[in-house]
Amino acid sequence: MAGAGVETAVEWLVSVAPDPDACRREWERNPRGVALLPAGRRWDVLILPGELGYPTFDVLTRLIDRPGPVLSDFGDARMGFFVAPGTVARWVGTGVRGVGQGTWIVVPHPGGASNGGVRWLIPPDGSGTLTDAALLELAMHDAVARQAENGRD
């Protein structure tokens, strides 16, 4: 993502921060290029374990051209899908952690290089595009079904 696209994504992300300028400074100063941002205003994040997240991501990216932002962290152990605010309060599934109102999440700079920690698989584009939670759930079910089929082969 170059120039104006990165800046638009930065503006979208920092718009939720209590102090957007402090968030920008944190991205610049933090050696990992990450900052803490509050969830629940413009987005919630559904966090899937990597063994479910990657197959779900594969299904999701076959269903739609560009889902909302997706994070991966620490050796790809977990994936975070950005969904509409309020989703976490309504989510009933098991094995999925939710980051919503009243919680914070580590977010890398949308234009920065990965430093071995949290990285974007799909960075935000600044438009506010989020992954539809119902579509994400369908992709999860499809991924689990495919895993079960492959386990029987």
Side-chain angles (χ1 to χ4, degrees):
M1 191 175 3
V6 170
E7 191 53 39
T8 303
V10 166
E11 291 308 313
W12 181 72
L13 286 168
V14 302
S15 70
V16 302
D19 182 345
D21 291 332
C23 181
R24 285 186 193 89
R25 284 191 300 276
E26 182 63 19
W27 270 328
E28 292 169 10
R29 293 181 184 148
N30 186 308
R32 292 202 176 269
V34 298
L36 274 174
L37 289 175
R41 285 191 53 206
R42 290 191 183 259
W43 36 261
D44 284 359
V45 182
L46 292 175
I47 301 173
L48 282 61
E51 60 271 6
L52 175 59
Y54 274 95
T56 298
F57 181 77
D58 289 342
V59 171
L60 190 61
T61 55
R62 281 195 301 266
L63 294 173
I64 55 176
D65 286 337
R66 191 179 199 288
V70 180
L71 289 172
S72 179
D73 75 351
F74 308 111
D76 299 332
R78 292 180 295 262
M79 291 180 70
F81 294 83
F82 280 54
V83 295
T87 299
V88 167
R90 298 183 306 272
W91 191 262
V92 184
T94 58
V96 176
R97 262 189 45 227
V99 180
Q101 189 68 43
T103 58
W104 295 67
I105 189 163
V106 173
V107 178
H109 189 283
S114 173
N115 197 6
V118 179
R119 63 188 172 92
W120 292 109
L121 294 178
I122 298 181
D125 62 8
S127 71
T129 298
L130 300 168
T131 297
D132 178 273
L135 191 58
L136 178 61
E137 184 176 13
L138 289 172
M140 289 170 58
H141 287 291
D142 192 340
V144 168
R146 288 171 191 244
Q147 286 177 327
E149 286 174 9
N150 291 337
R152 283 187 245 136
D153 292 341

